Amino acid sequence: MATLTQDGTTAPFSDPVYLKAAALDPAFSLMWIDHHVLVSLEVKAEVLQHVKELILREAVETEQPTPCVDEQENLGQGEGLFAAYHKRKKKDVGTTPALQLSHYLHIADGQNVLLFWAMNMKVLPSLFKVAITVLAVPASSAPVERVFSHGGIILRPHRAQMSDRLLTNLVFCKCNAL
């Protein structure tokens, strides 16, 4: 998933999931490209387009096609005065992933990510599915660094005889305690 550098190692945060996660967090949206990237406007436009394409590609992949209902099968079924009529599903006009992304970019302005997606899951269904999968990935290495920090606190020189298994269990208990 991550790209390899010239020396054969993976570059940190080179996986596209980090770009999608930052873009689908309404606190950041795509503002980070405009304000915090110190490159030319052409490169910013290219990065902006690339991030949009990544999101749209995944939104199209996760979108499920709606089954077509044959209207002739439903006519005449049931009994009663209005048996020939059937209820049609209302299909929202303009709910393509591209239009949803455009709408999202207009309404995302520094809001809480959980509240935003809870309120807009029906309005932006394709993007909501992408956000659920993408935002589960932590965008920083801080949680991992915290685990190592706890390990350093637990394993002190006066506890040098501690076994690997005991250290692992103590760090696990410390980091997963409520």
Side-chain angles (χ1 to χ4, degrees), residues 19 22-33 51 104-105 108-110:
L19 294 173
L24 290 176
D25 186 342
F28 303 111
S29 184
L30 294 175
M31 294 180 286
W32 59 273
I33 296 174
V51 171
Y104 164 74
L105 294 175
D109 59 352

Side-chain angles (χ1 to χ4, degrees), residues 7 16 44-45 57 60 72-74 85 95 105 109-110 114-115 117 124 127-128 132 139 146 157 166-167 169 177:
D7 60 353
K44 285 183 182 183
R57 191 176 316 134
V60 168
Q72 297 300 325
E73 291 178 9
N74 290 334
Y85 294 100
T95 59
L105 294 175
D109 59 352
L114 296 176
L115 293 174
W117 286 111
L124 307 167
L127 291 184
F128 175 73
I132 290 299
R146 256 184 247 116
L166 179 59
L167 176 64
N169 289 337

Side-chain angles (χ1 to χ4, degrees), residues 97-167:
L99 289 174
Q100 288 180 31
L101 181 61
S102 175
H103 181 64
Y104 164 74
L105 294 175
H106 288 292
I107 63 174
D109 59 352
Q111 300 156 352
N112 180 321
V113 65
L114 296 176
L115 293 174
F116 177 85
W117 286 111
M119 292 183 340
N120 293 297
M121 64 190 287
K122 302 273 188 217
V123 178
L124 307 167
S126 297
L127 291 184
F128 175 73
K129 291 176 188 173
V130 176
I132 290 299
T133 59
V134 166
L135 292 174
V137 176
S140 73
S141 61
V144 174
E145 291 174 12
R146 256 184 247 116
V147 170
F148 282 116
S149 176
H150 286 301
I153 292 169
I154 292 171
L155 187 63
R156 291 290 178 194
H158 67 279
R159 292 178 154 182
Q161 298 298 320
M162 189 182 303
S163 69
D164 294 344
R165 184 174 178 154
L166 179 59
L167 176 64

